[in-house]
Amino acid sequence: MDDRTMRAVLFDRYGGPEVLYAGRVPRPEPQRGEVLVRVRAFSVNGGELAARAGRVRLLTGRRFPQRIGLDFTGEVAALGTGATGVAVGDRVWGVLPRTGFGSAAEYVAVRADRLGHIPEGVDLVDAAALPVATTAITALRDKAGLRPGERLLVRGAAGGVGNAAVQLGRAWGAEVTGLARAANLDFVRELGAQHAIDHRSAAPRDLGRFDVVLDTAGTDLRAFRGLLVPGGRMVTIAFDLARPAASLGSIAASAVHGRGRVRFFSGNPTRALFDDLAREVAAGNLRPAVDARFPLEETAAAHRALEAGGVRGKYLITVD
């Protein structure tokens, strides 16, 4: 096989999981300041499902084939000129910048400052469940300023960001309530939530009052915003894809109208945040929550499983 190419997950049209296939693309060469990583695993993220289905085609365009994959773990295979902070053979994790996908492949070239070192003792594949936890760190620590003793509500507590937020919230001394499917409530309690509630059986108005609300769904934001106590903070990492303009408009309006601003952001971690992640893992505050592993050729099955709902942590794709 030509070593100038590599396997990667592609799609030639927008659609369901069935449009995904494993094809071959040119193997990247690290440019100045970049690192070539031999990918060992990546996870399936909700944003990729929307991109594959064409729900954000104004951003992704109509040029095909397109790639998927945001986060990854692996070993450093080569260094571009001027790349610092890592060495060939290092075990690393990373997230690609917001400008595109592409980690669903055998190799990825990424700037050195977008990588972090995986702590010793963490399995290289299971570690792929954790880069998304940088979003939880940013949401709770930097955007919400969560303090010990505060009441934290995590919406989507069994998912990728949600499960990390539950673990961190408990470790940082908050009283954590997690919303999830009924079948996942025991899992949410195992993560550290003092209260786990079936999101289908409880209306927002019945949940109580909270100092911090972390939303991972992007819908019904006004109702959940109404649960904040005076001085409370709400952070969302999603917006309603069925009503994107109205949803984003509502988030923007919350900054100037009503009680409690809704803070919205998209994760974009660099080395300093990965260092914070490694410290949380080493301290025992975070562990990888892996629902299932799939080989690269079965990426479509992983997408199908995530769309079906009910994930406990992350679905991981292994790259042999």
Side-chain angles (χ1 to χ4, degrees), residues 29-92:
E29 294 291 336
Q31 303 302 304
R32 182 172 182 81
E34 289 187 336
V35 173
L36 183 68
V37 177
R38 171 67 169 94
V39 177
R40 296 301 180 183
F42 59 92
S43 78
V44 180
N45 297 282
E48 297 170 76
L49 304 187
R52 185 216 69 228
R55 293 199 293 270
V56 289
R57 67 185 67 194
L58 289 177
L59 299 176
T60 55
R62 294 185 175 276
R63 296 184 63 182
F64 295 99
Q66 293 191 21
R67 304 271 299 275
I68 63 166
L70 282 171
D71 52 34
F72 57 90
T73 60
E75 300 107 348
V76 174
L79 302 176
T81 304
T84 61
V86 294
V88 172
D90 284 358
R91 300 180 345 132
V92 294

Side-chain angles (χ1 to χ4, degrees), residues 124-203:
L124 188 56
V125 171
D126 287 352
L130 287 171
V132 72
T134 58
T135 298
I137 293 173
T138 300
L140 297 182
R141 183 191 67 188
D142 304 332
K143 301 296 183 178
L146 181 68
R147 297 184 291 270
E150 290 193 315
R151 288 162 293 177
L152 167 65
L153 175 67
V154 179
R155 189 179 181 206
V161 175
N163 90 82
V166 169
Q167 295 183 66
L168 289 171
R170 183 61 183 269
W172 294 349
E175 180 182 342
V176 182
T177 297
L179 293 179
R181 291 190 175 197
N184 289 342
L185 296 184
D186 286 344
F187 170 69
V188 172
R189 295 186 188 97
E190 291 169 4
L191 294 169
Q194 290 96 329
H195 315 286
I197 300 173
D198 179 2
H199 73 95
R200 293 178 173 177
S201 64

